[in-house]
Amino acid sequence: MALLWDTSLLLRKVKDLRCLTPRRHRVKEKWAATRPKLPPTRLAVHHFDATYSTQLGQLWPSVRLAMLSERKYGALLNNFSHNAVLAELKAQGCVDFISERETEVPSCLEEKSEEPSDVSMKSSDVDGEQLSLSPNIKCLVFPRGDVTRFKPARPDKNGLLGYYLMDAASLLPCLALDVQEGHSVLDLCAAPGGKTLALLQTQAIRFLCINDSSVSRTLRLRKVLHSYVPKQLLTNENLRITSFDGTKWGEIESNTFDRVLVDVPCTTDRHSLMEDDNNIFSKSRTGERRRLPQLQLELLLAGIRAACPGGEILYSTCTLSQNQNLSVVEQAIYQAREKDGIHLQVVDLRPLTRMFGNTFHFAPDLHLGEMIIPHLAANFGPIYMCKLKRLT
């Protein structure tokens, strides 16, 4: 009994029993059961650092800092609301960046090449006078460098909100689309509804088709429209809301629309950096993320087929990724010509950069389309856009 007591006392004092274990039975300690799990936002940062540092070069550190900072918003005025919010917002120091724009061109834009780099992508002769902006679209922003937040919009006597808060750069694709009186318009990937609402503000569209392939996102879109647009307009036969597969639209309605907006699903760079919920960089969505360029190409080709000869298509994303921007447009131009016999002309969007160069920060030296990149003094974007015209 005494011998057992002495043995247990000895074992308590000896903390490392490996010296008492035969060498052939010793095993290495297990350091970790699994690899440490990184949140999707961290994975997005790593991916963007590896990709955009090469793509943007010296611009990336400042763009990265801006994207990790609080974004800036604009207030799209709702013409259907009876609230007199314009004077109220201007009293707070806001300006309508569309009607009160300055025409001085920032130096970074003056250095842009005047000739397109590819003959097959020759730009059309669009200048500032030919690109007419709808006087009914008004979007107020705080001045450059002012990070004041907007207050939530209030409903009027009919329950319609006075303005819609959105990234003001998201409005540029709608302005670039250049909708004219009597046009028929297709918004192929419409949710969450900001650009659709902007198109409705023009009050010039003869027929508007609003589509999103996701049923849940379409429901959210309907909810947004009901908060801003009168019921009689939403039930009008000149407005149609659908939830079809956008990649098949060319088979549903081809050669139909004067204007087509193709605002495709993308990596939504800001959301991917800031929010873990519904993040495309989640491990479970890796396959979906890798398939994005192919999906974007199919959607753009469907939009091209849906446009009538002489019609115009506006492709846009909210990512900096060259694979989702320029590469998709280049492939679409080639495939439309080779497979469908559709010839396209790239429309020069430099007039927009000259109009709004003091509100937004544009990426220099893009040979195809234009891109608003985030900047701490003008923290809008990223938004990429490229306009195509179907030749007759």
Side-chain angles (χ1 to χ4, degrees), residues 160 192-193 196-197 200 210 220-230 234 239 241:
L160 301 179
T196 301
L197 191 59
L200 286 169
I210 307 165
R220 285 173 51 202
L221 169 64
R222 287 181 181 272
K223 190 175 294 186
V224 167
L225 294 179
H226 278 287
S227 299
Y228 291 90
V229 182
L234 292 177
L239 187 145
I241 303 176

Side-chain angles (χ1 to χ4, degrees), residues 252-271:
I252 300 171
E253 285 180 310
S254 60
N255 306 318
T256 302
F257 297 94
D258 300 294
R259 297 288 186 270
V260 179
L261 177 61
V262 189
D263 183 39
V264 295
C266 63
T267 48
T268 52
D269 291 359
R270 269 196 191 270
H271 178 85

Side-chain angles (χ1 to χ4, degrees), residues 116-224:
S117 60
D118 192 329
V119 176
S120 66
M121 296 174 187
K122 184 179 178 183
S123 296
S124 64
D125 299 326
V126 176
D127 56 33
E129 287 73 33
Q130 286 178 308
L131 186 64
S132 58
L133 303 180
S134 171
N136 295 324
I137 299 181
K138 294 180 174 62
C139 185
L140 283 89
V141 296
F142 285 98
R144 196 178 179 94
D146 188 338
V147 294
T148 305
R149 294 181 181 180
F150 285 96
K151 296 177 181 178
R154 299 189 307 271
D156 66 1
K157 60 183 180 180
N158 296 319
L160 301 179
L161 298 175
Y163 53 82
Y164 179 83
L165 294 180
M166 63 189 299
D167 186 330
S170 298
L171 205 56
L172 292 193
C174 301
L175 297 175
L177 198 58
D178 194 22
V179 174
Q180 299 297 317
E181 190 75 34
H183 274 168
S184 60
V185 180
L186 168 63
D187 190 350
L188 193 58
C189 312
K195 293 182 179 67
T196 301
L197 191 59
L199 291 173
L200 286 169
Q201 300 305 312
T202 64
Q203 300 180 29
I205 298 174
R206 172 176 56 83
F207 176 74
L208 176 61
C209 182
I210 307 165
N211 181 72
D212 197 278
S213 60
S214 167
V215 175
S216 60
R217 285 169 62 85
T218 305
L219 289 174
R220 285 173 51 202
L221 169 64
R222 287 181 181 272
K223 190 175 294 186
V224 167

